[in-house]
Amino acid sequence: MTTLTYGPITACQICGSNDLRSVLFLGYLPPVNTMQTIGTAHDKQEWFPAEILRCPECSLVQLGYAADPNVLFPPDYPYRSGTTRILRENFADLQREAKALLGLTNKDLIIDIGSNDGTLLKNFLDGGNRVLGVEPSLNAKLAEDMGVETKMTFFGSSVVEPILKSHGKAKVITAANVFAHIHGLDGIMKSIVALLEDDGVFISESHYLLDLLTTVQYDTIYHEHLRHYSVTSLRFLLERYGLTIFHAKRIPTHGGSIRVYASKSKRAVNASVAAMLKEEEEAGLQGDAWVKPFRDRVLHSKLALYELLTKIKSSGKRIYAISAPSRASTLVNYVGLDDGIIDCVLEIQGSKKIGKYMPGRHIPVLDEAKLYQDQPEYALLLSWHIGAELMPNLKKRGFKGDFIVPLPEPRIMKNASFI
Ligand SMILES: [Zn+2]
């Protein structure tokens, strides 16, 4: 077993090419979940370079720096997949689709990598399958409370033998919003292949490069996201380990993702695969023609947001931001927003982020109740990718001001639009 090293990435994470070319450098950013407690003295803070690179060989768009996962994913990692409606619905859909496509039976084992609070596996458990989660954070305990058996550890070669002994091979291995996060891709792929039955299927869900580009989602660039996949780059990766993509589709999670099915054995390939590859080819993802226009759009979007917010602030109005997802950390740090521009960030009651500062900033994260008490003129949606779900809810709960949607192009949405 090779020991993983952390630091600058100088060889493509899929094909090993050293010819990596810069797409965009956002500067240095703090880890998105390192949040200091309000009222305590400011401690020192780690910052890592945030640059994405493109490999001309296999088309993978990837981060230029691998930070230590013990820093990125501490045991008290606050992200929970069960708290967002779109995610819950998506996981229910994944189970229905997998069952229909694969004809799962009660004896089939489903393993979920980075199983978080067990939301995905619960669907398979209720569907009658055997399930096993692998999750390093304390969210594993929430999964266990729901009856989802979970190994509280990082997924990798060290879990393969113990799982084979205790559970046997898996019919399905899922990796939802985690397959782009794990450093040491070779070890992960070998472990997946070793754990899959001969006719087993690996299902991954990842944020989609094409959506990142078309809707300028520079805010999804942070250290947890080591790779920004397309079907093209995923196919290159999976085929190196003997897995063939037989179905792929776009799904709405995280502002646009892809769900990709890959099989160890020969299966009929759905027309969806060729259709998505063609779309990517037409978008020029295999070349570099997209790079400069994308970089220009990011810069324009950043400047326009800064201008919009400072104009509002200069006129004496208040801007409260709504929710502090990981991507909000990139947005506030890259755009250079501070408590002089945004008064506070609000999270729903019970959030572990309340009582902390935004990473690398002095903007306090407070209870959402403050929005209805104070009625600021504007609410900036840092979870803009679920704005359609968020805005009517905030309005229903009594918010009277207007919304600011920061991306792809910053704009004000009048509250009246949601009546
Ligand atoms: Zn490559």
Short mmCIF file of all heavy atoms in Angstrom, two decimals, residues 11-17 20 54-60 62 236, ligand 1:
data_model
loop_
_atom_site.label_atom_id
_atom_site.label_comp_id
_atom_site.label_asym_id
_atom_site.label_seq_id
_atom_site.Cartn_x
_atom_site.Cartn_y
_atom_site.Cartn_z
N ALA A 11 0.40 15.63 -10.86
CA ALA A 11 0.09 14.60 -11.86
C ALA A 11 -1.42 14.40 -11.88
O ALA A 11 -2.07 14.40 -10.82
CB ALA A 11 0.78 13.30 -11.53
N CYS A 12 -1.98 14.25 -13.07
CA CYS A 12 -3.43 14.07 -13.19
C CYS A 12 -3.90 12.93 -12.29
O CYS A 12 -3.30 11.86 -12.27
CB CYS A 12 -3.81 13.79 -14.64
SG CYS A 12 -5.56 13.38 -14.83
N GLN A 13 -5.00 13.16 -11.58
CA GLN A 13 -5.49 12.16 -10.62
C GLN A 13 -6.06 10.92 -11.30
O GLN A 13 -6.21 9.89 -10.68
CB GLN A 13 -6.55 12.80 -9.72
CG GLN A 13 -6.02 13.94 -8.87
CD GLN A 13 -7.14 14.66 -8.14
OE1 GLN A 13 -7.92 14.07 -7.42
NE2 GLN A 13 -7.24 15.96 -8.34
N ILE A 14 -6.38 11.03 -12.59
CA ILE A 14 -6.87 9.86 -13.31
C ILE A 14 -5.75 9.21 -14.13
O ILE A 14 -5.45 8.03 -13.96
CB ILE A 14 -8.06 10.22 -14.24
CG1 ILE A 14 -9.31 10.54 -13.41
CG2 ILE A 14 -8.35 9.05 -15.20
CD1 ILE A 14 -10.54 10.85 -14.24
N CYS A 15 -5.13 9.97 -15.02
CA CYS A 15 -4.22 9.33 -15.99
C CYS A 15 -2.75 9.52 -15.66
O CYS A 15 -1.89 8.93 -16.31
CB CYS A 15 -4.52 9.82 -17.40
SG CYS A 15 -3.95 11.51 -17.69
N GLY A 16 -2.45 10.35 -14.66
CA GLY A 16 -1.05 10.51 -14.25
C GLY A 16 -0.26 11.51 -15.08
O GLY A 16 0.92 11.74 -14.80
N SER A 17 -0.86 12.11 -16.09
CA SER A 17 -0.13 13.07 -16.92
C SER A 17 0.36 14.26 -16.09
O SER A 17 -0.33 14.73 -15.19
CB SER A 17 -1.07 13.58 -18.04
OG SER A 17 -0.51 14.72 -18.64
N LEU A 20 -0.62 19.38 -16.64
CA LEU A 20 -1.86 19.96 -16.12
C LEU A 20 -1.87 21.46 -16.40
O LEU A 20 -0.87 22.14 -16.17
CB LEU A 20 -1.99 19.69 -14.63
CG LEU A 20 -2.10 18.21 -14.25
CD1 LEU A 20 -2.14 18.03 -12.74
CD2 LEU A 20 -3.35 17.59 -14.88
N ARG A 54 -6.81 21.57 -15.72
CA ARG A 54 -7.41 20.68 -16.72
C ARG A 54 -6.33 19.75 -17.28
O ARG A 54 -5.21 20.18 -17.54
CB ARG A 54 -7.98 21.51 -17.87
CG ARG A 54 -8.77 20.77 -18.90
CD ARG A 54 -9.22 21.73 -19.99
NE ARG A 54 -8.09 22.15 -20.81
CZ ARG A 54 -7.61 21.44 -21.84
NH1 ARG A 54 -8.16 20.29 -22.16
NH2 ARG A 54 -6.57 21.88 -22.54
N CYS A 55 -6.70 18.48 -17.44
CA CYS A 55 -5.77 17.53 -18.04
C CYS A 55 -6.16 17.32 -19.50
O CYS A 55 -7.25 16.83 -19.78
CB CYS A 55 -5.81 16.19 -17.30
SG CYS A 55 -4.85 14.91 -18.13
N PRO A 56 -5.32 17.71 -20.44
CA PRO A 56 -5.67 17.55 -21.86
C PRO A 56 -5.75 16.08 -22.28
O PRO A 56 -6.40 15.75 -23.26
CB PRO A 56 -4.51 18.22 -22.60
CG PRO A 56 -3.69 18.90 -21.59
CD PRO A 56 -3.99 18.30 -20.26
N GLU A 57 -5.13 15.23 -21.51
CA GLU A 57 -5.07 13.80 -21.83
C GLU A 57 -6.43 13.12 -21.61
O GLU A 57 -6.97 12.48 -22.51
CB GLU A 57 -4.01 13.20 -20.90
CG GLU A 57 -3.26 11.99 -21.33
CD GLU A 57 -2.71 12.04 -22.74
OE1 GLU A 57 -2.09 13.04 -23.16
OE2 GLU A 57 -2.93 11.04 -23.43
N CYS A 58 -7.00 13.26 -20.42
CA CYS A 58 -8.26 12.55 -20.08
C CYS A 58 -9.41 13.51 -19.82
O CYS A 58 -10.50 13.09 -19.46
CB CYS A 58 -8.04 11.64 -18.88
SG CYS A 58 -7.79 12.53 -17.33
N SER A 59 -9.18 14.81 -19.97
CA SER A 59 -10.21 15.86 -19.80
C SER A 59 -10.61 16.12 -18.36
O SER A 59 -11.54 16.89 -18.11
CB SER A 59 -11.50 15.54 -20.59
OG SER A 59 -11.21 15.38 -21.94
N LEU A 60 -9.98 15.47 -17.38
CA LEU A 60 -10.39 15.71 -16.00
C LEU A 60 -10.06 17.13 -15.57
O LEU A 60 -8.93 17.59 -15.73
CB LEU A 60 -9.71 14.71 -15.05
CG LEU A 60 -10.06 14.91 -13.57
CD1 LEU A 60 -11.53 14.59 -13.30
CD2 LEU A 60 -9.16 14.09 -12.65
N GLN A 62 -9.61 19.30 -12.30
CA GLN A 62 -9.27 18.89 -10.94
C GLN A 62 -8.61 20.00 -10.15
O GLN A 62 -8.07 20.95 -10.72
CB GLN A 62 -8.35 17.69 -11.00
CG GLN A 62 -7.07 17.93 -11.80
CD GLN A 62 -6.45 16.63 -12.28
OE1 GLN A 62 -6.01 15.83 -11.48
NE2 GLN A 62 -6.43 16.41 -13.59
N PHE A 236 -13.17 7.51 -18.75
CA PHE A 236 -11.74 7.26 -18.82
C PHE A 236 -11.26 6.58 -17.53
O PHE A 236 -10.52 5.60 -17.55
CB PHE A 236 -11.01 8.60 -19.00
CG PHE A 236 -9.63 8.48 -19.55
CD1 PHE A 236 -9.36 8.73 -20.89
CD2 PHE A 236 -8.57 8.11 -18.72
CE1 PHE A 236 -8.07 8.62 -21.40
CE2 PHE A 236 -7.27 7.99 -19.23
CZ PHE A 236 -7.02 8.25 -20.56
ZN ZN B 1 -5.60 13.03 -17.01
#
